[in-house]
Amino acid sequence: MNILAIDQGTTGSRAIVPENRESTSRGAAYMAGLASGIWNDAHELRSMRTSTRLSTHAMDEATRKRSSEGWNRALRKTIAR
């Protein structure tokens, strides 16, 4: 299970899954293009989206609660350092 699936399961959120899985370099290129004026705004970038498939990872309520509590416990320990 990847971090996106864990996040979706814990929060119940959905995500658009791009056809091109290498989105880090594409995102950096989009940000550079926005900064340099190649694209006018984020709406223009959204129009270039090539996938509309939504990914959802459902967890039952007990699993979601355990996962969320574990995540919050880890955050508290990290912040306390």
Side-chain angles (χ1 to χ4, degrees):
M1 186 177 283
N2 64 34
I3 191 69
L4 179 61
I6 293 168
D7 180 57
Q8 289 177 307
T10 304
T11 64
S13 62
R14 299 179 304 167
I16 295 172
V17 179
E19 287 180 14
N20 179 351
R21 296 285 178 133
E22 179 42 60
S23 57
T24 303
S25 58
R26 181 177 283 192
Y30 284 171
M31 294 299 107
L34 281 170
S36 63
I38 292 174
W39 294 291
N40 296 317
D41 55 31
H43 295 291
E44 193 172 352
L45 294 175
R46 282 188 202 104
S47 71
M48 297 186 316
R49 188 180 296 160
T50 58
S51 178
T52 57
R53 186 171 70 93
L54 289 177
S55 171
T56 58
H57 292 276
M59 286 184 184
D60 62 81
E61 193 55 38
T63 303
R64 182 187 316 251
K65 185 175 181 183
R66 270 193 320 276
S67 180
S68 182
E69 288 170 352
W71 178 253
N72 288 329
R73 194 169 38 256
L75 284 176
R76 282 192 300 274
K77 287 181 179 182
T78 302
I79 293 169
R81 291 182 183 191

